[in-house]
Amino acid sequence: MTVLQACEVASVDIPRFCYHSRLSIAGNCRMCLVEVEKSPKPVASCAMPALPGMKIKTDTPVAKKAREGVMEFLLMNHPLDCPICDQGGECDLQDQSMAFGADRGRFTEMKRSVVDKNLGPLVKTVMTRCIQCTRCVRFATEVAGVQDLGMLGRGSGEEIGTYVEKLMTSELSGNVIDICPVGALTSKPFAFKARNWELKGTETIDVTDAVGSNIRIDSRGPEVMRIIPRLNEDINEEWISDKTRFCYDGLKRQRLNDPMIRGPDGRFKAVTWRDALAVVAEVAHQVKPEEIVGIAGRLSDAESMMALKDFLNKMGSNNVSCEGNGISPNADLRPSYLLNTTIAGLEKADAFLLVGTQPRVEAPMVNARIRKTVRATQAKVAYIGSPSDFNYDHQHIGTGPETLLEIAEGRHPFCSTLLTAKNPVIMVGAGIFERKDKDAIFSAVETIAKSAKVVRPDWNGLNILLLHAAQAAALDLGLVSSPIESIQSAKFLYLMGADDVNLDKLPDDAFVVYQGHHGDKGVYRANVILPSAAFSEKEGTYENTEGCSQWTVPAVPTVGDARDDWKIIRALSEVAGVRLPYDNLEAVRARIGMVAPNLLHVDEREPSTVSLEMKPSVRHQMSHAPFEAVVDNIYMTDSITRASKIMAQCSLTLLKK
């Protein structure tokens, strides 16, 4: 423990610029100088180990004078940009020069200036403001795992930059905006849009992937202005992925704001809710119950999926499923579709086997944990799947199920690593759900888990890494029919925000209702459009990939005439004469509590009491097809990110091969 950390424990505040609790110690800003008894000079507290019997003085004239001197040097070349700087109002340099700086400077020479670097479409640089704290360099190297940033030059010519002219390509690059203590690195899309005291912050969660990162949505009036991370040690620490941070402009583009019906000429015409619901209810009664199919989208909350399932059940149909859960998903045992180790628990692992998953694009925050573990404990990582870009040491041991069989039969060199590991982890990608031979693959994985003692009373290292925010809750609530088979015979298809469903096999005379917040792919085939609220505009329960339930909180008002998903289905059920028995959110949640009570226990992870040995053995043939990448474009995975202009720029500039 260092002196600075000891002072933090004793709740004594010491100013600092370069020290950051999650990065290595650099000790180069010298702002944290304190007086230590028997030491001739002030000591940098961030780098000095705290020893027993040490007497530290933080508020003496010597310490104050040292800080004033350091602050004077820092402001020597710092431009007078505060009125036009985006960091104004939340700037460490402003705050600390007010609190610890002198009231005048003695520097009369010319200030130096530095050329701005182009780091891509997300991070704006004004390098003249940089105070060389090297936080961004350490973040890029240690957490993001890219050697993009570094220190160039000596003395007053020292500057931060990329060694050769290149963009910052990391999927976590936006976090340098948060850790930069001055206005040198700021958000490019948010530049000159608002001051931080004009914004209303709403603490909620992110739904663009299955991790459920904790975020704060800053809004002004009806518009989401920016998204920044919240601290949650168990899920995302204090980082978020670029997709989470910058997809917010998709929330104001291509929105559906009125109920619409497609006329005989093929064009949509805006109608009232009463007319739209009457048309849908009438058609629903004209088809046979088994021809009614409902599909929930990847951004659906638990409340809306519960309502959809109840409505379809009351209409006599059980064909209700969720995007991404594949062919007749196996939802009997909860551990067979969750990240059982938990995200924070991955830090205890010492060997990883990744099967058909690319965590760097599927769940960047889980990937950051794996990288942290590999750096801290030199854990071994083996990967089976299509060639992928990892930011830590790994062995690519195969591309398809044959390698998995070799490990299951004990013929592969990596078996010895798994057997000697104290806490081995096997992580299977949710892309396997879409394969015909998924049962055989899971059976092989369970064989490996048994032989390597991956599942024990004190450790569960068998994990499924889900892709979408709705998947875990859908499997908990029992949305488990096979969409592919039921679509072929469907005459009435209810798409609740489902845009990535393949509708090629849908009969031409089928009636399609699209309920969603964006005019995305699902709208092209729709006969009726019912506008709903996005995640930033409603209260909803989402369960992340480790089985932890969290709530979204409305940050901005809904767009146009849109309504919450479950309210639309509740209104439709009344028009259709099969009224659902709930009128408010509490009643819907009480109904969820009857089906899956774990969804109501917010921020709790309920461990499974059932062992996987209860699963019946499977005798399926494994195909030789290699595992394919599930995410083609990390920046565009759902209707919100596809509508986002910033995400389109990222796809264009950062994915150029």
Side-chain angles (χ1 to χ4, degrees):
M1 184 185 255
T2 62
V3 171
L4 186 124
Q5 287 164 333
C7 291
E8 265 181 3
V9 173
S11 59
V12 175
D13 195 29
I14 293 182
R16 85 291 301 264
F17 288 115
C18 69
Y19 172 80
H20 191 281
S21 55
R22 289 178 207 282
L23 304 174
S24 61
I25 291 167
N28 53 4
C29 74
R30 315 312 280 177
M31 192 62 203
C32 62
L33 293 174
V34 293
E35 193 182 343
V36 176
E37 214 167 76
K38 299 202 179 89
S39 170
K41 290 194 287 211
V43 169
S45 61
C46 70
M48 182 75 174
L51 302 170
M54 198 181 243
K55 287 188 179 160
I56 302 154
K57 298 172 183 168
T58 60
D59 220 9
T60 58
V62 173
K64 280 185 173 167
K65 187 161 183 281
R67 285 171 193 166
E68 283 181 10
V70 169
M71 183 57 80
E72 200 174 341
F73 274 123
L74 284 177
L75 295 176
M76 194 168 72
N77 280 313
H78 198 77
L80 288 167
D81 269 357
C82 298
I84 56 145
C85 173
D86 268 308
Q87 196 84 350
E90 46 187 1
C91 171
D92 290 356
L93 195 64
Q94 274 183 340
D95 300 343
Q96 293 185 31
S97 63
M98 284 291 289
F100 304 103
D103 58 349
R104 69 203 63 210
R106 293 167 290 185
F107 185 71
T108 54
E109 320 295 311
M110 288 290 288
K111 287 179 183 278
R112 67 162 202 165
S113 62
V114 181
V115 178
D116 296 341
K117 314 289 182 290
N118 177 19
L119 294 185
L122 302 177
V123 181
K124 175 188 171 191
T125 61
V126 184
M127 294 320 275
T128 308
R129 299 174 189 157
C130 174
I131 59 169
Q132 284 87 38
C133 71
T134 67
R135 275 188 188 182
C136 54
V137 177
R138 284 174 286 149
F139 173 83
T141 313
E142 294 164 20
V143 180
V146 290
Q147 304 280 338
D148 284 351
L149 295 173
M151 197 61 126
L152 304 164
R154 309 284 287 169
S156 65
E158 189 174 51
E159 55 181 271
I160 299 244
T162 51
Y163 300 108
V164 287
E165 189 65 34
K166 68 188 282 258
L167 306 180
M168 195 172 173
T169 52
S170 168
E171 71 286 359
L172 301 175
S173 64
N175 293 296
V176 297
I177 297 164
D178 291 330
I179 55 175
C180 184
V182 294
L185 303 174
T186 51
S187 168
K188 207 174 248 184
F190 181 65
F192 310 130
K193 293 278 191 293
R195 284 290 190 199
N196 74 319
W197 57 82
E198 307 171 330
L199 302 175
K200 175 181 122 238
T202 309
E203 299 199 339
T204 179
I205 59 157
D206 161 54
V207 300
T208 55
D209 57 22
V211 178
S213 301
N214 288 218
I215 57 172
R216 191 181 90 207
I217 294 182
D218 284 348
S219 57
R220 186 174 61 188
E223 192 181 343
V224 173
M225 299 303 286
R226 67 172 176 183
I227 290 176
I228 54 177
R230 275 192 296 142
L231 181 70
N232 185 329
E233 293 290 358
D234 295 327
I235 297 176
N236 57 317
E237 300 182 296
E238 59 184 270
W239 320 121
I240 48 173
S241 69
D242 289 350
K243 182 167 64 169
T244 303
R245 185 186 296 266
F246 294 109
C247 70
Y248 60 83
D249 70 323
L251 291 166
K252 61 176 188 230
R253 293 175 207 281
Q254 295 194 327
R255 289 299 295 268
L256 303 172
N257 49 12
D258 287 308
M260 290 188 259
I261 295 178
R262 196 187 286 274
D265 58 348
R267 287 169 177 253
F268 281 113
K269 144 169 144 277
V271 294
T272 61
W273 271 108
R274 183 180 294 248
D275 295 348
L277 293 174
V279 169
V280 175
E282 187 186 342
V283 176
H285 279 301
Q286 286 169 2
V287 300
K288 295 182 192 141
E290 62 272 15
E291 294 173 337
I292 300 177
V293 176
I295 299 177
R298 47 182 65 175
L299 302 176
S300 306
D301 52 12
E303 286 82 357
S304 58
M305 290 192 285
M306 187 75 260
L308 180 68
K309 186 172 192 305
D310 283 351
F311 172 60
L312 261 63
N313 290 168
K314 282 205 164 191
M315 293 297 288
S317 163
N318 201 22
N319 298 326
V320 57
S321 58
C322 174
E323 251 182 342
N325 280 342
I327 314 150
S328 55
N330 190 351
D332 297 336
L333 304 177
R334 261 185 107 226
S336 63
Y337 55 84
L338 292 180
L339 194 83
N340 299 300
T341 312
T342 71
I343 296 171
L346 291 171
E347 291 186 23
K348 298 187 191 123
D350 50 1
F352 291 90
L353 175 62
L354 307 178
V355 182
T357 177
Q358 300 174 343
R360 191 168 177 186
V361 290
E362 291 172 23
M365 296 326 307
V366 173
N367 190 62
R369 283 290 171 142
I370 299 176
R371 174 173 165 77
K372 185 179 175 184
T373 311
V374 171
R375 277 193 83 240
T377 64
Q378 275 70 53
K380 299 276 184 288
V381 180
Y383 166 64
I384 305 175
S386 57
S388 177
D389 191 15
F390 283 85
N391 52 2
Y392 39 82
D393 291 336
H394 71 289
Q395 295 168 268
H396 188 187
I397 57 175
T399 56
E402 297 93 342
T403 318
L404 203 60
L405 271 178
E406 280 179 34
I407 298 176
E409 291 164 7
R411 292 182 288 135
H412 197 280
F414 191 70
C415 294
S416 58
T417 311
L418 278 178
L419 290 168
T420 52
K422 283 199 186 100
N423 294 334
V425 160
I426 302 176
M427 196 179 283
V428 185
I432 309 276
F433 287 159
E434 303 287 354
R435 287 176 65 110
K436 298 248 182 1
D437 60 345
K438 65 181 171 108
D439 291 332
I441 290 170
F442 282 123
S443 156
V445 168
E446 280 151 25
T447 310
I448 299 168
K450 270 181 203 155
S451 63
K453 296 197 170 47
V454 173
V455 181
R456 310 189 297 265
D458 62 329
W459 174 257
N460 188 342
L462 187 54
N463 299 298
I464 313 294
L465 182 60
L466 298 177
L467 288 164
H468 314 309
Q471 274 181 294
L475 291 166
D476 272 358
L477 292 170
L479 279 75
V480 292
S481 75
S482 290
I484 300 161
E485 292 150 28
S486 46
I487 280 179
Q488 294 171 2
S489 59
K491 290 284 191 284
F492 177 90
L493 179 61
Y494 201 104
L495 298 176
M496 189 172 73
D499 292 297
D500 296 86
V501 182
N502 185 357
L503 298 180
D504 297 342
K505 302 262 178 74
L506 186 71
D508 293 339
D509 59 345
F511 186 87
V512 179
V513 179
Y514 180 79
Q515 170 183 322
H517 38 77
H518 277 80
D520 205 54
K521 299 175 187 171
V523 171
Y524 294 114
R525 179 67 182 79
N527 298 79
V528 173
I529 293 174
L530 306 174
S532 68
F535 79 99
S536 55
E537 300 151 14
K538 65 180 174 187
E539 275 186 81
T541 306
Y542 287 89
E543 185 183 4
N544 76 353
T545 181
E546 51 178 355
C548 173
S549 304
Q550 304 182 96
W551 285 346
T552 52
V553 180
V556 287
T558 51
V559 176
D561 213 6
R563 298 283 189 275
D564 283 7
D565 284 295
W566 73 265
K567 289 180 182 170
I568 298 173
I569 295 168
R570 162 71 183 78
L572 175 61
S573 71
E574 186 151 326
V575 178
V578 290
R579 185 171 164 269
L580 294 174
Y582 27 77
D583 296 334
N584 55 25
L585 201 63
E586 283 66 41
V588 185
R589 286 187 176 153
R591 167 73 182 129
I592 289 175
M594 293 158 65
V595 181
N598 57 287
L599 286 171
L600 301 183
H601 301 168
V602 176
D603 288 335
E604 286 178 26
R605 292 155 188 77
E606 298 211 357
S608 172
T609 49
V610 185
S611 77
L612 283 166
E613 285 162 16
M614 291 187 64
K615 265 178 127 173
S617 57
V618 187
R619 286 275 170 272
H620 281 294
Q621 195 59 41
M622 211 183 269
S623 84
H624 294 296
F627 299 127
E628 287 171 8
V630 196
V631 179
D632 304 327
N633 178 347
I634 178 178
Y635 298 108
M636 293 193 169
T637 51
D638 51 60
S639 57
I640 297 174
T641 49
R642 279 194 287 262
S644 160
K645 194 173 169 184
I646 306 168
M647 293 290 102
Q649 284 171 340
C650 290
S651 306
L652 197 65
T653 52
L654 301 181
L655 294 175
K656 271 194 276 191
K657 287 286 177 272

mmCIF file of all heavy atoms in Angstrom, residues 81 430 637 645:
data_model
loop_
_atom_site.group_PDB
_atom_site.id
_atom_site.type_symbol
_atom_site.label_atom_id
_atom_site.label_comp_id
_atom_site.label_asym_id
_atom_site.label_seq_id
_atom_site.Cartn_x
_atom_site.Cartn_y
_atom_site.Cartn_z
ATOM 1 N N ASP A 81 -7.847 28.053 -22.359
ATOM 2 C CA ASP A 81 -8.934 27.582 -23.230
ATOM 3 C C ASP A 81 -10.254 27.350 -22.507
ATOM 4 O O ASP A 81 -11.216 26.953 -23.140
ATOM 5 C CB ASP A 81 -8.529 26.222 -23.839
ATOM 6 C CG ASP A 81 -7.808 26.393 -25.158
ATOM 7 O OD1 ASP A 81 -7.692 27.543 -25.589
ATOM 8 O OD2 ASP A 81 -7.386 25.381 -25.737
ATOM 9 N N ALA A 430 -22.591 -17.998 -27.603
ATOM 10 C CA ALA A 430 -24.017 -18.229 -27.851
ATOM 11 C C ALA A 430 -24.301 -18.454 -29.337
ATOM 12 O O ALA A 430 -25.405 -18.843 -29.705
ATOM 13 C CB ALA A 430 -24.829 -17.044 -27.344
ATOM 14 N N THR A 637 -25.102 -3.889 -34.239
ATOM 15 C CA THR A 637 -25.634 -5.202 -33.869
ATOM 16 C C THR A 637 -27.129 -5.188 -33.623
ATOM 17 O O THR A 637 -27.738 -6.231 -33.488
ATOM 18 C CB THR A 637 -24.943 -5.703 -32.586
ATOM 19 O OG1 THR A 637 -25.018 -4.675 -31.602
ATOM 20 C CG2 THR A 637 -23.487 -6.056 -32.837
ATOM 21 N N LYS A 645 -25.407 7.427 -36.492
ATOM 22 C CA LYS A 645 -24.465 7.986 -37.466
ATOM 23 C C LYS A 645 -23.021 7.766 -36.994
ATOM 24 O O LYS A 645 -22.129 7.483 -37.787
ATOM 25 C CB LYS A 645 -24.764 9.480 -37.592
ATOM 26 C CG LYS A 645 -24.134 10.150 -38.785
ATOM 27 C CD LYS A 645 -24.659 11.569 -38.888
ATOM 28 C CE LYS A 645 -23.871 12.378 -39.897
ATOM 29 N NZ LYS A 645 -24.318 13.773 -39.933
#
